Amino acid sequence: MKISIKDKVGLPKYKQIIKSIEEAILNGTYKKGDKLPSIGETKKELSISRDTVLLAYGDLKARGIVQSIPGKGYYINSESINIRQKIFLLFDELNAFKEDLYNSFLNKLGNNIEVDIFFHHFNYDVFQKLIFDNLGKYNYYVVMPAKLNNLNSVLERLPKDKVYILDQTKEEISEYPSIFQDFEKDIYKGLVGCKHLLKKYKQLIFLFDKEKQPDGLLLGFQKFCNDYNVTGKCIRTLNDYKICNGDVYIIPDDRNLIRIIKECKESQFEISKDIGVISYNDTLLKEIVEGGITTISTDFEGMGERLASMIINNEKVKIANPYNLILRKSL
């Protein structure tokens, strides 16, 4: 038995087991791939409860130091004992502004916390499989659900106090701590903030993909049009759509922003003179393209930092992330 504990040392027994295994890794007694004593063996040899051993092994497993192989036992998976916690981070997709969120999250966490990032690409089956495949392997689970439904049947498999919801939330998962965008309020306030510039245009065209875009964006857009008697309509795609002089285009995704700019050039329209453009989610590129694109954007760097603070301090709160309206030449 390479694991030892002592009585009356002021340290819980499960933590003594963890410390003993870490020291055995440091001095070379345990190496990657070595098998640990079974739960039953450790329980009997140390005269402690099964739960105490499970708690210790579970902590090491969540940090990635130990892995369990069903039917075989527990094995040393990593010799990096400086990793104090491991975080499972599930995004819908990666783009420039979510990369900013991810980097600020990592920087705020520091060096002793390891983050593994995954993507579900708006696919429920992938979402479910990624979570089920990683049950018990992490200290915390950060989930960006996007517009997926039936989330509780998946998330209930995770320890409730270890789950954080990111970016979008909904009633069925409102019990979990979260940092989110208030899409309806943000787009409404953003449009109100630039309504003086919208007066010179005939109508607002909102490019809205109901499969991916949050419903709150559509509700906020419709509320603005109703409250301020603005002519507006929604279109799902730019395919076979001809842009018109005098319209303002509100574009939530960058791929369609590029298409609008390209079609403007082909139609010899000048942005801000012939048509207006408002993009959602700010990036460095939008400061430069066409002299600057007006954006309504949440603070992604701030979101990443605040999420890290919530995890570090074990905060169980729900926070609406602040947004910014950035006026540029495109209006």
Side-chain angles (χ1 to χ4, degrees):
M1 176 67 63
K2 302 173 185 177
I3 302 171
S4 62
I5 61 173
K6 297 178 181 178
D7 292 325
K8 300 179 182 179
V9 296
L11 189 67
K13 290 180 179 179
Y14 85 93
K15 288 191 175 181
Q16 290 189 53
I17 293 174
I18 294 170
K19 185 177 180 183
S20 180
I21 292 172
E22 288 177 342
E23 289 175 349
I25 291 172
L26 282 176
N27 63 34
T29 303
Y30 276 136
K31 298 183 182 300
K32 184 174 181 178
D34 288 350
K35 186 177 181 180
L36 292 173
S38 69
I39 301 291
E41 289 172 336
T42 307
K43 168 181 176 288
K44 182 178 180 180
E45 181 70 22
L46 301 180
S47 300
I48 54 178
S49 73
R50 176 182 177 85
D51 287 345
T52 299
V53 185
L54 279 171
L55 192 59
Y57 281 18
D59 180 278
L60 292 166
K61 182 180 175 183
R63 289 164 54 197
I65 296 171
V66 165
Q67 68 170 336
S68 62
I69 301 177
K72 292 188 176 182
Y74 291 83
Y75 294 81
I76 301 297
N77 183 57
S78 171
E79 297 177 21
S80 300
I81 67 167
N82 289 330
I83 300 301
R84 308 312 305 175
Q85 293 180 331
K86 287 191 71 180
I87 297 174
F88 173 92
L89 178 61
L90 180 56
F91 275 8
D92 47 18
E93 62 182 0
L94 184 63
N95 44 41
F97 43 89
K98 285 173 186 167
E99 187 174 355
D100 291 340
L101 189 165
Y102 175 67
N103 288 332
S104 67
F105 179 58
L106 290 184
N107 291 337
K108 183 69 175 180
L109 286 174
N111 296 324
N112 292 332
I113 300 178
E114 186 174 287
V115 179
D116 290 338
I117 186 169
F118 303 85
F119 304 93
H120 59 72
H121 299 290
F122 307 95
N123 184 307
Y124 182 83
D125 291 335
V126 174
F127 172 85
Q128 178 177 254
K129 186 177 189 306
L130 285 171
I131 289 180
F132 286 176
D133 285 351
N134 288 283
L135 294 174
K137 295 182 180 179
Y138 293 87
N139 301 95
Y140 294 99
Y141 294 81
V142 178
V143 177
M144 184 182 287
K147 290 191 71 173
L148 299 177
N149 295 311
N150 196 25
L151 298 169
N152 258 335
S153 63
V154 178
L155 296 182
E156 67 184 4
R157 298 281 298 275
L158 297 170
K160 187 176 178 180
D161 62 337
K162 302 300 183 183
V163 177
Y164 288 84
I165 303 299
L166 180 62
D167 197 44
Q168 293 190 50
T169 188
K170 54 177 65 178
E171 185 61 33
E172 70 166 310
I173 53 173
S174 60
E175 61 190 296
Y176 295 102
S178 59
I179 180 163
F180 60 92
Q181 296 188 59
D182 190 333
F183 292 98
E184 181 176 353
K185 183 184 292 184
D186 292 352
I187 192 170
Y188 180 85
K189 290 173 69 176
L191 292 173
V192 170
C194 62
K195 70 179 188 299
H196 60 291
L197 297 173
L198 301 176
K199 292 179 180 178
K200 66 180 181 180
Y201 299 100
K202 297 175 184 177
Q203 64 176 343
L204 271 61
I205 308 296
F206 185 27
L207 188 59
F208 182 78
D209 182 350
K210 66 179 181 179
E211 299 299 321
K212 292 186 177 182
Q213 303 301 335
D215 293 336
L217 288 179
L218 180 59
L219 294 173
F221 171 75
Q222 292 172 333
K223 177 175 169 56
F224 171 78
C225 292
N226 291 332
D227 288 355
Y228 290 92
N229 196 29
V230 172
T231 301
K233 72 175 183 179
C234 290
I235 60 173
R236 183 180 178 277
T237 177
L238 289 173
N239 293 337
D240 301 319
Y241 185 85
K242 185 174 177 59
I243 63 173
C244 298
N245 193 330
D247 289 347
V248 177
Y249 294 87
I250 302 172
I251 311 168
D253 67 289
D254 290 353
R255 183 179 296 273
N256 281 309
L257 174 62
I258 294 170
R259 292 182 65 184
I260 283 284
I261 294 171
K262 181 180 177 183
E263 289 192 31
C264 280
K265 294 184 182 300
E266 291 173 351
S267 302
Q268 297 186 330
F269 287 156
E270 183 179 339
I271 293 178
S272 81
K273 179 181 178 183
D274 301 312
I275 73 163
V277 175
I278 300 173
S279 179
Y280 217 83
N281 301 316
D282 197 43
T283 63
L284 286 173
L285 191 62
K286 293 173 189 177
E287 294 182 21
I288 302 167
V289 171
E290 295 298 313
I293 303 294
T294 293
T295 61
I296 299 171
S297 180
T298 200
D299 179 1
F300 284 101
E301 290 188 7
M303 179 182 276
E305 290 178 0
R306 190 66 184 89
L307 173 64
S309 293
M310 289 168 65
I311 291 174
I312 292 169
N313 299 314
N314 198 29
E315 295 180 72
K316 306 301 181 184
V317 294
K318 300 177 181 64
I319 301 171
N321 201 55
Y323 91 103
N324 294 301
L325 167 67
I326 305 172
L327 293 173
R328 297 191 180 111
K329 187 180 176 182
S330 67
L331 284 184

